Amino acid sequence: MRWPAMVCRAALLFSIALSLAPHSHAEDGYDLWLRYRSVEPEWRETYTVSTRQLVLPRRQSPTLRAAADELRRGIGGLLDIDIESADKVGRDGALLLGTPQESPAIAALELPLEDLARGGYLIRTEQVDGQRTTVIAANDDIGVLYGAFRFLQLMQTRQPLEQLAIASSPQVDLRLLNHWDNLDRSVERGYAGQSIWDWWRLPDFRHPRYTDYARANASIGINGTVLNNVNANADILTARYIDKVAALAGVFRPYGIRVYLSARFSAPMEIGGLDTADPGNPAVQRWWKEKADEIYAAIPDFGGFLVKANSEGQPGPQDYGRSHADGANMLAAALAPHGGVVMWRAFVYAHDNPDDRARQAYSEFKPLDGEFADNVVLQVKNGPIDFQPREPFHPLFGAMPGTPLMMEFQITKEYLGFATHLAYLGPLYEEVLEADTCTGPGPGRRDAACDGSATVASVIDGSLHDYGHTGIAGVANIGRDRDWSGSIFNQANWYVFGRLAWNPRGSARAIAEDWLEMTFAADDAFVQPAADLMMASREAVVDYMTPLGLAHLMATGHHYGPAPWVSELARPEWNPVYYHRADAGGIGFDRTAEGSDAVAQYAPPLQRKFSSRASVPEKYLLWFHHLPWDHPMPSGRDLWQELVYRYDRGVAQVEEMRRDWAQLEPFVDRERFVQTSSFLAIQEREARWWRDASLAYFGAVSGRELPPGARAPAHSLQYYRALSYPHAPGH
Ligand code: BDP
């Protein structure tokens, strides 16, 4: 063999060997925040002292076994040891797991378990038979599993283990992912590859990834998943697909995750042979009852239905002159005998309704307060329009004391730069949850003071109105990409969603720090600057896409990139010009009493605050007000100059994020460092594009020149208008 051929052969063998090596995917992001890489030597010693023995009850449910497996895997990885198993504490430093029902040793400790909600846990250092023991105890096995993940998190984030006294309970009952996944494996607004659900090969083939999906979700307390798109295909409710759904439910069950399905309202016609889907029709009602019975026969712990009805062309009860409550209650009646819930979406706006789109959901649902069956929950998007980089909170929060409302956040970044832009959504979620609805408890207190007693979080966790059901849903950012979410940093959005669903009062910053420590390195020299970068990232997106309360300026259909000029789509509210209302005179949507009066849907103190140009927060200025271009801003700039300043600030922030990330190279493995760097480069280019195209357009409309020193757009307005992306993902 001539030597170049030998080199080729050797290189080939080497690359085959690499691809077969067990850790060849070591840092491709697959392990998410459950990496369990070895701790530093100084921690290994102290942690080993607390993890000498794993003590489990004799009888172990699959959930308890999952907890034990996770501890073995985690401790094995973190400490390079195989933890010894026993059914009785025999050594100092044992880990004792279980419920008082199954574990006499735990029962004997008489721990204050009665204060825990379902799924809650205690992690405490106790003396058991004279041995220092870490006890992970709960009233139910799923609580033990959550406690096991929390215990591992303590090690992953380098917390001391000697004196533990942790109690944690979920504050919200339904903590759900919503997959917008289609049966052909395409994912609506998905930027992480195809759907992870391999419908075609289910139920026979259960991809190992389903288990890892369940582990990841259980590790952050997510307890339900809606498997299919809200724009639903009725086939998911046929016997063939119910079998497939049952197979997934079987994989998820030990991890405390129930499956739910999006139900198409017209399914009785499409797959049931009926000629109507009228909720008042007894045959339709019977069809849904029988369908529910069939589903529960296959999946006894099926969670229920999510429904998008009479929204964006989806069928619904209004097609038959019935109300949303009529439709929801019919489905609720079918599910009630089995304990299922209906999550009825409030995301509605109608093409024949000339009213401000931001007002329509409230106008539709507020009058129905109290008319929904007990097992109906209204699922409300965080803001009144549609998952924009920034919106004020939805005015329904605080306005429906007689109907449980659950939150719908978007985790996938449809409007925040798809997979590549680094935008940590913790601050967005936190801003919404912390917002004060100023409604106070009870129906009569609409003019209550804004004293922080009626935040959106207090609506969501049920404490404000004493709801019978509580819930938070997040539109998933999960696909078949090895890193699950289309980028490493998008994993943080899945993570923070779960953590805030568990505790809506959690801190986005603290959660980012935990995620960074678990995902990259538990080293403050890395974590603090990286957390700064994450925390600033969402505001950067707001600045370079939709500053000062602007919204919905993206391109049509796929929503990729800027297109504030679009004005010719059939429905007015599809057009960005509808939202920004810019002309030679000014910019912004007047939602005060002089305009659409959407502001009237908020409690009186907020009406006053938002209606006044002086008191409206700058971040919502153009959401609520139409203002002349020379409107003076607190900065001393006029509105036009301020707009330019904000766009520039957004771009500058991304430049800074790139520089800051480059500094962190020593802490990060090559693979994940390079992915993030390349994506930040894309983000910088696209931030400039957003800035340049938007300013080219607003400059032309306003007739204003850029302020002295401001950079001219790289291209003409015509150039930006002509860009077209027929193959953009997620559409
Ligand atoms: C919009 C998405 C669309 C969804 C819709 C919804 O662009 O794909 O179907 O929300 O939430 O933001 O129903």
Side-chain angles (χ1 to χ4, degrees):
M1 207 184 295
R2 282 178 303 123
W3 78 261
M6 271 170 67
V7 170
C8 285
R9 170 79 56 90
L12 183 68
L13 287 176
F14 180 68
S15 66
I16 290 173
L18 255 189
S19 69
L20 294 178
H23 294 297
S24 62
H25 290 305
E27 297 296 0
D28 59 8
Y30 184 83
D31 294 336
L32 296 161
W33 48 88
L34 303 175
R35 289 166 62 251
Y36 306 137
R37 301 291 189 275
S38 306
V39 300
E40 304 70 27
E42 67 271 24
W43 287 103
R44 174 167 309 128
E45 205 163 305
T46 92
Y47 285 169
T48 306
V49 174
S50 298
T51 52
R52 289 189 207 267
Q53 208 186 26
L54 185 58
V55 184
L56 298 166
R58 283 216 176 79
R59 244 201 348 235
Q60 289 157 31
S61 67
T63 301
L64 217 56
R65 279 203 297 277
D69 287 350
E70 197 68 33
L71 286 168
R72 282 194 202 98
R73 177 203 294 250
I75 291 168
L78 288 158
L79 307 181
D80 302 318
I81 53 170
D82 285 330
I83 186 167
E84 157 199 328
S85 293
D87 55 13
K88 198 171 166 320
V89 171
R91 295 183 65 180
D92 199 48
L95 271 176
L96 170 63
L97 256 69
T99 61
Q101 298 84 340
E102 293 294 338
S103 161
I106 289 182
L109 290 170
E110 296 186 1
L111 299 169
L113 288 162
E114 61 286 348
D115 300 336
L116 298 177
R118 191 182 139 62
Y121 56 81
L122 298 177
I123 306 180
R124 292 164 62 120
T125 309
E126 300 280 341
Q127 289 294 319
V128 177
D129 292 337
Q131 308 291 337
R132 191 181 62 86
T133 304
T134 303
V135 181
I136 304 179
N139 294 314
D140 37 36
D141 287 350
I142 188 62
V144 179
L145 178 64
Y146 292 150
F149 276 113
R150 177 68 180 277
F151 181 77
L152 289 167
Q153 183 196 318
L154 296 174
M155 283 196 261
Q156 290 173 284
T157 56
R158 311 293 188 265
Q159 306 295 313
L161 300 178
E162 290 80 30
Q163 293 292 329
L164 295 172
I166 295 174
S168 185
S169 281
Q171 303 301 302
V172 172
D173 302 333
L174 305 170
R175 306 180 296 276
L176 267 53
L177 289 182
N178 286 184
H179 287 265
W180 286 359
D181 295 20
N182 298 313
L183 302 182
D184 64 1
R185 294 194 87 166
S186 61
V187 181
E188 184 154 337
R189 314 309 178 182
Y191 312 103
Q194 284 186 300
S195 169
I196 53 171
W197 316 134
D198 187 354
W199 290 115
W200 197 251
R201 284 180 279 193
L202 279 164
D204 308 87
F205 178 58
R206 301 169 195 206
H207 200 289
R209 195 161 187 164
Y210 304 148
T211 305
D212 289 330
Y213 167 89
R215 287 176 48 235
N217 280 315
S219 78
I220 46 177
I222 287 173
N223 66 357
T225 179
V226 182
L227 298 173
N228 62 317
N229 193 353
V230 286
N231 296 318
N233 187 311
D235 290 345
I236 193 81
L237 300 175
T238 58
R240 200 154 72 84
Y241 278 90
I242 291 171
D243 265 1
K244 297 168 190 278
V245 172
L248 288 174
V251 177
F252 301 158
R253 190 164 292 118
Y255 298 90
I257 296 166
R258 290 182 175 208
V259 297
Y260 298 73
L261 292 175
S262 292
R264 186 165 161 87
F265 200 78
S266 52
M269 298 160 75
E270 283 141 8
I271 58 168
L274 302 185
D275 58 7
T276 177
D278 181 352
N281 183 308
V284 172
Q285 295 163 1
R286 197 173 331 112
W287 188 86
W288 280 109
K289 272 198 170 303
E290 285 167 6
K291 187 47 76 182
D293 295 346
E294 181 189 348
I295 295 173
Y296 278 93
I299 311 164
D301 55 355
F302 179 69
F305 293 138
L306 172 64
V307 188
K308 173 175 178 177
N310 293 122
S311 164
E312 299 187 327
Q314 294 298 313
Q318 294 179 332
D319 303 347
Y320 307 95
R322 314 276 180 186
S323 74
H324 282 286
D326 296 332
N329 292 347
M330 172 197 54
L331 295 174
L335 295 170
H338 308 284
V341 296
V342 175
M343 294 165 292
W344 193 267
R345 295 178 87 227
F347 177 69
V348 299
Y349 61 98
H351 62 288
D352 49 3
N353 187 346
D355 198 7
D356 175 3
R357 175 172 165 191
R359 286 171 47 94
Q360 292 186 29
Y362 180 102
S363 308
E364 190 84 55
F365 285 97
K366 170 74 183 158
L368 298 177
D369 191 20
E371 291 191 15
F372 291 93
D374 287 348
N375 57 333
V376 176
V377 189
L378 211 58
Q379 182 166 310
V380 183
K381 287 190 181 180
N382 59 275
I385 300 279
D386 196 357
F387 296 143
Q388 296 302 293
R390 168 166 282 129
E391 298 185 34
F393 74 85
H394 201 298
L396 278 171
F397 294 117
M400 300 279 281
T403 308
L405 300 188
M406 65 186 279
M407 172 66 74
E408 180 174 321
F409 282 129
Q410 197 175 43
I411 309 174
T412 187
K413 301 202 311 298
E414 174 181 1
Y415 302 101
L416 287 99
F418 290 11
T420 45
H421 293 209
L422 196 165
Y424 173 54
L425 300 179
L428 188 163
Y429 302 158
E430 185 177 55
E431 179 176 289
V432 174
L433 291 165
E434 277 178 351
D436 194 341
T437 68
C438 305
T439 51
R445 294 207 31 214
R446 288 279 291 166
D447 207 1
C450 304
D451 60 1
S453 65
T455 58
V456 172
S458 74
V459 177
I460 292 310
D461 71 12
S463 57
L464 185 63
H465 303 306
D466 206 13
Y467 286 157
H469 292 279
T470 57
I472 302 196
V475 180
N477 64 355
I478 296 165
R480 269 180 89 191
D481 281 7
R482 273 297 289 181
D483 66 19
W484 300 85
S485 299
S487 89
I488 300 297
F489 272 86
N490 288 334
Q491 298 175 354
N493 293 331
W494 177 6
Y495 182 82
V496 68
F497 167 76
R499 291 280 304 269
L500 289 174
W502 182 275
N503 174 16
R505 291 179 174 77
S507 141
R509 166 102 198 183
I511 295 169
E513 291 176 2
D514 284 347
W515 177 79
L516 285 162
E517 292 180 358
M518 296 164 82
T519 303
F520 289 104
D523 179 339
D524 254 10
F526 166 75
V527 169
Q528 291 310 320
D532 290 345
L533 185 161
M534 288 171 74
M535 290 302 290
S537 62
R538 178 272 187 142
E539 203 63 39
V541 178
V542 170
D543 275 346
Y544 65 71
M545 288 189 184
T546 53
L548 294 171
L550 291 172
H552 209 291
L553 304 182
M554 68 289 164
T556 306
H558 50 59
H559 297 167
Y560 173 64
W565 45 80
V566 171
S567 65
E568 279 145 18
L569 303 176
R571 287 161 57 156
E573 74 289 342
W574 282 353
N575 295 291
V577 297
Y578 170 93
Y579 297 91
H580 62 66
R581 311 207 156 200
D583 58 17
I587 182 170
F589 200 126
D590 184 357
R591 294 193 163 101
T592 68
E594 282 77 55
S596 79
D597 206 18
V599 76
Q601 296 179 337
Y602 290 95
L606 289 178
Q607 286 175 29
R608 291 192 288 276
K609 181 172 173 180
F610 294 155
S611 291
S612 150
R613 291 177 183 186
S615 58
V616 65
E618 251 178 39
K619 60 187 177 189
Y620 302 136
L621 185 65
L622 302 176
W623 184 277
F624 288 111
H625 295 271
H626 183 84
L627 297 170
W629 293 104
D630 60 2
H631 174 77
M633 298 291 292
S635 63
R637 291 180 277 269
D638 72 11
L639 177 56
W640 163 247
Q641 293 161 346
E642 186 71 29
L643 200 66
V644 177
Y645 169 78
R646 298 288 173 123
Y647 273 110
D648 279 332
R649 192 174 73 175
V651 174
Q653 184 66 43
V654 179
E655 290 164 355
E656 195 178 317
M657 283 159 62
R658 277 187 83 180
R659 284 194 299 273
D660 291 347
W661 179 251
Q663 298 292 314
L664 298 176
E665 182 166 8
F667 300 96
V668 183
D669 51 280
R670 193 83 206 127
E671 219 169 339
R672 294 185 299 168
F673 180 78
V674 168
Q675 187 208 63
T676 305
S677 305
S678 344
F679 286 4
L680 282 167
I682 297 172
Q683 183 173 10
E684 185 182 314
R685 191 175 68 229
E686 295 186 351
R688 283 171 193 273
W689 170 32
W690 267 93
R691 180 257 183 213
D692 285 358
S694 305
L695 290 180
Y697 171 73
F698 289 129
V701 171
S702 65
R704 306 265 306 212
E705 296 291 330
L706 286 172
R711 192 173 42 79
H715 301 280
S716 69
L717 179 56
Q718 285 70 6
Y719 169 90
Y720 294 115
R721 295 183 66 135
L723 295 173
S724 131
Y725 297 93
H727 309 297
H731 183 36

